[in-house]
Amino acid sequence: MNFLLRERSGEAFDPRLVVGVRESFVNLCTDFTNKLQIYLEYFEKAYLDATREFYTSNGQQYLADNGVQNYMKYAHQKLQEEKRRAERYLETSKESPSLKLVENELDRILVSSHQDVIIEECPKLIASNEVEKLNLMFKLMNRISGGISPMLQYLETHIVSTGLADMTAHADTITTDCEKYIEELLKLFRQYSTLVKNAFDDDTRFLTSRDKAYKQVINDVSVFKLDLGTKGKTTGGSKTHPESKCPELLANYCDLLLRKTPLSKKL
């Protein structure tokens, strides 16, 4: 399999030579019930071994030399290159498992084996709104089982923390002005929706995480601290409980909208 090493190293190579060798292995088999036996035993096995050896070494070295974010570009590029290479050199008939085996092996070597260090970059990329890099991470992690789960949690954490921080920063205004309150909620929703669209291709799992976290922001009562006096059981004096004014502000906003309609003016 020296041809693989030479081609992966950037040398020019006539692919027809390799295709001819592959076809010879297929044609050598005289067992018509298992036409690919010799091909699978010798050609496919050697191809997988060479691929595993090359990327186990080179992938780890590239990550160490260039960092995680550059490695994500490298991994994505090599996965695309190897897909085209496998389609060119391996048996692609429906009886052959070659393409899937190569894909699974590359996913294991280039993605799964470096999953933890790649995922560690996710919170900072979300915080800095690096949508292109997040999209690249999403495409890589989506190739492996369970790869997306940590990203979903990081997204939820980001939405809750930044959403509550934003609401708290404008608490003096939004807790008393229903229009400002709704405008702030809509602004946050558009902001997080744009992030999910551009970074995660509006994937339903990320949309669900967005909605879950956004609901938590809306239902959080820390922005509203109302003195409820003697409601509930007390032992002298009043108790102060946080209580959401969201229903009241929404009702006031709806009433305000109705008052602005032509029909309400006629009434």
Side-chain angles (χ1 to χ4, degrees):
M1 287 291 166
N2 287 335
F3 77 92
L4 279 179
L5 179 59
R6 290 169 57 189
E7 188 175 73
R8 285 166 176 160
S9 299
E11 293 185 33
F13 196 89
D14 187 355
R16 292 175 296 181
L17 297 176
V18 182
V19 173
V21 173
R22 181 200 72 207
E23 291 176 347
S24 296
F25 275 102
V26 175
N27 293 330
L28 277 173
C29 188
T30 58
D31 184 355
F32 292 101
T33 62
N34 189 11
K35 190 68 175 174
L36 299 179
Q37 180 182 356
I38 296 177
Y39 158 82
L40 294 174
E41 186 175 347
Y42 293 98
F43 190 90
E44 181 194 82
K45 183 179 183 303
Y47 190 101
L48 284 169
D49 289 344
T51 299
R52 184 182 304 113
E53 181 180 354
F54 182 85
Y55 282 109
T56 298
S57 173
N58 284 267
Q60 183 65 47
Q61 190 62 50
Y62 192 95
L63 176 61
D65 292 342
N66 299 279
V68 176
Q69 295 184 23
N70 287 322
Y71 175 79
M72 290 194 298
K73 297 177 184 178
Y74 167 85
H76 181 71
Q77 178 186 343
K78 294 305 177 183
L79 287 167
Q80 300 307 307
E81 285 182 9
E82 290 301 327
K83 182 177 185 294
R84 293 190 294 269
R85 183 172 286 119
E87 291 171 347
R88 184 164 62 245
Y89 292 142
L90 296 177
E91 184 64 31
T92 59
S93 63
K94 64 180 180 179
E95 295 85 5
S96 173
S98 299
L99 296 184
K100 191 63 179 176
L101 286 174
V102 170
E103 178 184 328
N104 290 343
E105 189 66 15
L106 287 167
D107 285 345
R108 183 188 66 80
I109 297 169
L110 292 174
V111 184
S112 294
S113 60
H114 305 297
Q115 178 182 1
D116 291 343
V117 69
I118 292 175
I119 285 294
E120 284 179 3
E121 293 289 302
C122 189
K124 73 167 74 170
L125 294 179
I126 292 178
S128 57
N129 200 39
E130 297 273 5
V131 293
E132 292 184 3
K133 293 176 181 178
L134 283 168
N135 189 255
L136 192 57
M137 182 184 291
F138 164 64
K139 285 180 167 60
L140 291 175
M141 291 299 109
N142 201 32
R143 299 178 66 95
I144 62 175
S145 177
I148 291 297
S149 298
M151 298 183 71
L152 297 173
Q153 187 57 55
Y154 283 134
L155 177 66
E156 290 182 26
T157 300
H158 171 77
I159 291 176
V160 172
S161 62
T162 58
L164 290 178
D166 190 271
M167 296 293 280
T168 301
H170 298 88
D172 290 344
T173 303
I174 64 175
T175 55
T176 56
D177 187 325
C178 63
E179 285 190 277
K180 296 295 184 183
Y181 176 71
I182 298 300
E183 286 174 4
E184 198 64 30
L185 288 180
L186 291 175
K187 184 197 77 173
L188 290 173
F189 186 78
R190 286 191 292 265
Q191 175 184 325
Y192 300 136
S193 296
T194 299
L195 173 62
V196 171
K197 178 181 179 180
N198 294 335
F200 310 117
D201 298 337
D202 269 345
D203 183 272
T204 54
R205 292 164 294 181
F206 286 90
L207 289 171
T208 299
S209 288
R210 177 207 62 186
D211 293 345
K212 179 181 176 183
Y214 186 70
K215 181 179 179 181
Q216 188 173 336
V217 172
I218 293 177
N219 291 334
D220 191 276
V221 298
S222 60
V223 178
F224 309 102
K225 295 181 179 179
L226 305 179
D227 187 356
L228 300 184
T230 57
K231 287 186 179 180
K233 294 181 179 180
T234 60
T235 55
S238 62
K239 290 180 66 178
T240 300
H241 304 270
E243 182 179 274
S244 176
K245 290 180 64 180
C246 179
E248 177 186 343
L249 290 168
L250 285 173
N252 291 341
Y253 183 73
C254 291
D255 183 62
L256 187 64
L257 290 179
L258 290 173
R259 291 176 183 276
K260 293 180 179 180
T261 63
L263 180 59
S264 66
K265 292 179 181 177
K266 291 179 182 180
L267 296 175

